[in-house]
Amino acid sequence: MSHFVTRFTAAAAAFVLGGTLLVQSPAAAAVAAPAVTAPAATAAPQFKAVVYYQKYLRRGGYATYKLKITNKGYEGQAYALLAGAFPAGTRKIKVISKPRSITCDVEGRALGCWIASLDNGDTTTLTVRAWLSPSKRGTYTTQFGVTYADSPDVDVDELIDEMRFKKFKSKVV
């Protein structure tokens, strides 16, 4: 994932969380933020995201992504951050269905969703639609990643840094 897309996704996620992380100086943020950090990465992922999408798209049409996020063994209440990056040739991105406990924001071609209170074994689903420009041809590659925290006050940049993005390719015909 390019540096620009990573930073842009972090900015979108920060905006979802209230935007205060974008305007504070690092010293003020260190004083104001509680000492809560993201859990260390383990060998087995604690959260699993399954993405359903179309393999073939029409030029000028739209791509629909159904994302299913499951808490796989993290004990206690957890919060998840879902981030997505869409390629050039995307006209519009919209979350078309989601539960109330999910807060999403779209900025440009980046998507950030904060999933509140996902207990062990719980699953939540959201649907995202991206409209393609009429001139888009070739491969349409979208990236999604999910990570978790035990507190909603965690530093978003740390979550983004530990997040692993997975690519989903569709052919535009």
Side-chain angles (χ1 to χ4, degrees), residues 29-38 150-151 153-155:
V31 172
V36 177
T37 60
D150 56 0
S151 169
D153 299 325
V154 71
D155 184 18

Side-chain angles (χ1 to χ4, degrees), residues 50-125:
V50 178
V51 179
Y52 300 97
Y53 66 104
Q54 302 126 308
K55 297 288 185 178
Y56 296 96
L57 305 171
R58 290 186 162 265
R59 283 187 292 158
Y62 56 85
T64 304
Y65 298 91
K66 183 175 181 180
L67 298 114
K68 184 176 172 183
I69 297 101
T70 305
N71 182 344
K72 291 277 202 179
Y74 181 81
E75 295 297 329
Q77 186 175 0
Y79 301 88
L81 175 66
L82 171 76
F86 293 84
T90 304
R91 285 187 298 160
K92 178 181 170 184
I93 301 166
K94 185 176 182 182
V95 178
I96 58 174
S97 73
K98 67 176 183 62
R100 289 184 206 182
S101 63
I102 298 178
T103 305
C104 291
D105 185 46
V106 176
E107 278 199 22
R109 293 182 290 144
L111 168 74
C113 293
W114 187 250
I115 303 166
S117 96
L118 202 58
D119 292 328
N120 187 10
D122 284 352
T123 299
T124 189
T125 304

Side-chain angles (χ1 to χ4, degrees), residues 14-15 17-24 29:
F15 183 75
L17 296 174
T20 57
L21 298 174
L22 296 175
V23 294
Q24 288 181 338

